[in-house]
Amino acid sequence: MKLFIDTANVDEIRTAMSWGVLDGVTTNPSLIAKEKRDYKETVKEICAIVPGPVSAEVLSTDYDGMLEEAREWSKVAKNVVVKIPLLPDGIKVVKQLTLEDIKTNVTLVFSVNQAVLAAKAGATYVSPFVGRIDDIGGNGMLLVEEILTTFMNYDLDTEVIVASVRNGRHIVDSLMMGAHIATIPFKILQGMFKHPLTDIGIERFLADYKAAMDG
Ligand code: E4P
């Protein structure tokens, strides 16, 4: 499974990149807004740090606006993936961008039916938002499982990005289901390293060694 980081913060991205396990980045307008920086400059910088796919989202919601923005994003860097919201016009745009060989990530996916429409239009990725489904009492990972099964049943090439990840369990479930990608906030990515027994183990090894050498 590929690990993406879900942030627009370049310090977090640089740190995650230094670990040598980062495959890509997803941003969205809310994450960009948190950085209080120019949108295009920020994405350009991220694309230079991470060689893998970097998702940048369109702000328009009409066909012409989304298509124009998507074409603009595709010129910013070779590794930009254009994030398009799941709307009828959005799916039409994805179809056109597929013909133009521009990579797309269909965002705000909350059902299998939506995911199928995106895949049929040729989306490179679909992003089901598991945390937001859990937030309203649903089962986000069940949706991921259903999308993966559907794509397998019909040999659809679209990759599934598990998005809106809220905890380590979402990552484990994604791995068990064979999801292609999980996009993970920095704190949760950092948390993947942590286990109390690792810390206790290191302390004990060093203490044992020191006691033997000193004694
Ligand atoms: C990523 O592609 C999504 O935009 C992001 O994971 C949404 O996360 P949130 O539900 O925590 O805002």
Side-chain angles (χ1 to χ4, degrees):
M1 185 175 74
K2 286 174 232 156
L3 297 178
F4 287 8
I5 189 166
D6 195 26
T7 183
N9 183 287
V10 291
D11 294 332
E12 291 181 349
I13 292 167
R14 277 186 211 284
T15 302
M17 196 60 200
S18 75
W19 296 329
V21 295
L22 191 65
D23 298 300
V25 181
T26 53
T27 68
N28 64 37
S30 308
L31 292 171
I32 293 283
K34 262 173 57 183
E35 300 308 310
K36 301 191 189 330
R37 293 184 53 194
D38 180 74
Y39 196 175
K40 201 180 256 183
E41 283 312 308
T42 308
V43 171
K44 220 184 221 175
E45 190 177 343
I46 295 171
C47 286
I49 300 169
V50 181
V54 174
S55 288
E57 190 161 339
V58 295
L59 299 170
S60 305
T61 51
D62 64 296
Y63 180 81
D64 290 333
M66 283 188 277
L67 189 57
E68 194 187 323
E69 278 187 59
R71 286 175 176 153
E72 281 305 310
W73 276 125
S74 75
K75 290 181 208 142
V76 166
K78 271 204 292 224
N79 50 336
V80 165
V81 173
V82 188
K83 237 176 166 187
I84 307 279
L86 196 302
L87 297 165
D89 271 358
I91 294 304
K92 274 168 64 179
V93 168
V94 170
K95 181 80 192 181
Q96 180 55 35
L97 295 174
T98 304
L99 296 173
E100 295 177 26
D101 231 8
I102 295 174
K103 292 205 164 86
T104 52
N105 172 2
V106 175
T107 189
L108 293 163
V109 169
F110 294 95
S111 76
V112 178
N113 293 346
Q114 290 179 321
V116 164
L117 294 172
K120 282 187 70 72
T124 319
Y125 307 102
V126 286
S127 291
F129 277 29
V130 297
R132 292 195 197 184
I133 293 176
D134 292 356
D135 289 347
I136 59 161
N139 184 342
M141 289 314 302
L142 178 62
L143 171 62
V144 172
E145 193 174 14
E146 289 175 345
I147 294 173
L148 288 169
T149 303
T150 305
F151 285 5
M152 206 170 64
N153 286 347
Y154 295 97
D155 247 341
L156 295 166
D157 291 335
T158 303
E159 295 196 5
V160 176
I161 303 180
V162 179
S164 188
V165 165
R166 299 266 198 268
N167 52 58
R169 190 67 227 174
H170 281 148
I171 304 170
V172 176
D173 288 343
S174 303
L175 289 161
M176 293 302 103
M177 287 172 192
H180 305 88
I181 300 149
T183 189
I184 307 168
F186 180 74
K187 278 255 146 56
I188 298 171
L189 202 56
Q190 211 175 26
M192 288 175 76
F193 287 96
K194 291 278 168 208
H195 196 287
L197 290 178
T198 305
D199 298 338
I200 292 168
I202 289 170
E203 242 174 67
R204 197 172 298 162
F205 283 152
L206 296 180
D208 287 349
Y209 183 79
K210 190 172 183 304
M213 292 305 134
D214 291 351

